[in-house]
Amino acid sequence: MVEAAVRHDWTRDEVAALFALPFNELLHRAHSVHREHHDPNAVQVSTLLSIKTGGCPEDCAYCPQAARYDTGVQAQKLMSVESVVARAQAAKDAGASRFCMGAAWRSPKDRDVVKVAEIVSAVKALGLETCATLGMLNGPQAETLKAAGLDYYNHNLDTAPEFYGEIIHTRRYQDRLDTLEHVREAGLKTCCGGIVGMGETPSQRAGLLQTLANLPEHPESVPINQLVQVKGTPLDGTQALDPFEFVRTIAVARIMMPTSMVRLSAGRQDMDDATQALCFFAGANSIFYGEKLLTTGNPDVEHDRQLFARLDLHPMEIVETSETVHADILEHCAA
C-alpha cells in the first residue's frame, strides 16, 4: 500500500518528478492511493446547470460566456426557483446525487446572492448535494449561501500563477485566493481545480496542482477540466493536449490530494472511452452527467450508463446528515 500523507508543502520539483514517472508506475501509485481512500469502483454523478448564462464582463480566454467574444451564447437572466428545481428533480431522477449551479457573474450583488440562496434551499430540499459557482464572493455573501444550505462553492484557480496573466486580465490570482478564503471561513466546502490544454507548459501544469495542494486545506472537490475550444474565444485553435498527459494530470492530482474528490469535468466529449477508463483508474471519481456542461457539450446520459456498465462502475451512494449530503465513501471502503 502506498502511504498517502496529506501535505501542503509540495515543491515544484517534486510535482514535476511525479509527472516524469513512467506512465505505468505513475498509474500504479495513483491507483494505490485511490484505493486507500475511496471505493475504486464508485463514481459520484453530478449535474451542472447554468442558472444565469452569458453576458459576463470578464475576459477569460477560454470562456464562451464572456460578453466581449462572439460565440453565439446569448445573455439570459437568472432562472426562477421553480425552473431550477424542475431541472434538479430531473437530474436526480436520472441518477445524479449532486447538483451544481453556475451563474456568469464576475461578482454577484448582494440581492443576487439572496435570490440564489432561495434556489439553493429549494434544491437542497430534494436531497441533493448542492454546489454553486457565482464568481468572486465576500465574506457575508459566503455566509448567506452557507445558511441557505449550500454544501460546496466552486471557484477554480484555472492555471498556475505564472501563466494566469496569459489567460485572464480582468481578475487577479489573489482575488481567487481571497474568495476561497471567504468560502472556507464561512464553513463551506471548496470545489477548486483548473483547466489544462490552454497552451501551458508541463511545468505550469505542475504549478497548478502545486498551488491547489498547498492551499491551507485541500479542496474537498478538485475538478480537472480539459479545454473545450469554442469558436470566437482566443483559445480556439490551441494545440490539443495529448490524452495521456491529461491522464497523468489526474493521477498526479490524486497522489497530491489523496482524500479529495477528483472530478473528470469539462472536455469529456472529446475523450474516447479508453481515455476515460484510464482516468477512473488514475483516481477520478466523479463526472458531470448530462448533455450540457454550462454552455458546452457533454456525453449523453445513456452513453455514460453504458460506459459504467462496461467498466463495472456504479454511481456513488449518498447519505444525508444534519450537516450536508455526503458521498458515502467510508462505507464503501469498509465493505
Side-chain angles (χ1 to χ4, degrees):
M1 181 70 69
V2 175
E3 182 179 357
V6 175
R7 294 177 50 190
H8 302 271
D9 60 350
W10 290 90
T11 68
R12 184 69 64 94
D13 286 346
E14 287 178 308
V15 185
L18 289 175
F19 271 98
L21 286 170
F23 188 74
N24 286 343
E25 175 66 20
L26 175 59
L27 260 61
H28 171 69
R29 292 194 190 186
H31 187 71
S32 297
V33 170
H34 187 55
R35 295 183 72 92
E36 185 179 348
H37 295 277
H38 307 272
D39 178 350
N41 298 308
V43 177
Q44 187 182 52
V45 175
S46 307
T47 293
L48 177 59
L49 175 67
S50 180
I51 62 173
K52 188 272 178 189
T53 302
C56 183
E58 302 232 52
D59 71 346
C60 306
Y62 53 80
C63 186
Q65 300 202 67
R68 66 191 68 202
Y69 305 140
D70 183 13
T71 62
V73 173
Q74 300 299 315
Q76 300 174 12
K77 295 181 179 180
L78 181 68
M79 294 174 63
S80 68
V81 175
E82 295 76 16
S83 296
V84 176
V85 168
R87 298 287 290 273
Q89 183 64 60
K92 182 178 181 180
D93 293 344
S97 62
R98 175 184 175 91
F99 195 72
C100 307
M101 294 159 278
W105 286 310
R106 181 176 188 271
S107 182
K109 296 179 174 63
D110 289 344
R111 64 175 181 268
D112 297 323
V113 173
V114 170
K115 293 177 182 178
V116 173
E118 184 180 357
I119 293 172
V120 167
S121 294
V123 172
K124 180 76 172 189
L126 299 178
L128 287 162
E129 189 174 71
T130 56
C131 180
T133 178
L134 315 173
M136 293 183 289
L137 293 183
N138 59 38
Q141 290 174 334
E143 292 168 2
T144 296
L145 294 171
K146 171 65 175 177
L150 188 68
D151 296 312
Y152 285 82
Y153 192 78
N154 168 258
H155 201 65
N156 289 336
L157 295 181
D158 284 349
T159 190
E162 69 270 23
F163 189 60
Y164 183 82
E166 300 295 319
I167 304 298
I168 301 166
H169 307 93
T170 51
R171 188 191 310 189
R172 299 175 304 137
Y173 209 77
Q174 187 60 48
D175 292 330
R176 293 182 180 270
L177 296 174
D178 290 345
T179 290
L180 292 171
E181 182 177 0
H182 296 321
V183 167
R184 288 192 300 267
E185 289 179 346
L188 289 164
K189 293 178 173 62
T190 56
C191 176
C192 183
I195 307 171
V196 297
M198 297 193 293
E200 74 282 349
T201 66
S203 177
Q204 289 161 346
R205 274 194 291 282
L208 167 65
L209 298 186
Q210 178 194 19
T211 307
L212 289 168
N214 287 352
L215 289 170
E217 298 175 13
H218 287 174
E220 288 87 353
S221 169
V222 181
I224 304 296
N225 299 274
Q226 179 173 271
L227 175 66
V228 177
Q229 298 190 28
V230 178
K231 187 176 181 180
T233 60
L235 290 181
D236 184 35
T238 302
Q239 184 175 351
L241 187 70
D242 183 280
F244 294 139
E245 191 65 22
F246 185 85
V247 176
R248 284 183 182 274
T249 306
I250 294 287
V252 175
R254 170 52 69 214
I255 292 170
M256 295 177 67
M257 293 168 279
T259 64
S260 300
M261 300 292 292
V262 175
R263 303 191 180 279
L264 184 56
S265 298
R268 280 204 305 128
Q269 77 277 11
D270 294 325
M271 299 179 195
D272 60 25
D273 290 349
T275 299
Q276 292 187 62
L278 284 173
C279 288
F280 293 132
F281 186 82
N285 58 347
S286 178
I287 62 168
F288 283 108
Y289 200 50
E291 297 179 355
K292 280 288 185 182
L293 191 57
L294 290 182
T295 56
T296 59
N298 203 38
D300 63 34
V301 169
E302 185 55 36
H303 183 87
D304 284 335
R305 287 174 175 164
Q306 293 176 5
L307 180 60
F308 273 35
R310 291 164 63 200
L311 299 178
D312 297 309
L313 299 174
H314 57 268
M316 191 174 289
E317 298 175 8
I318 57 172
V319 293
E320 293 196 38
T321 73
S322 60
E323 292 292 328
T324 185
V325 181
H326 287 297
D328 191 8
I329 298 172
L330 294 179
E331 180 178 333
H332 283 305
C333 290

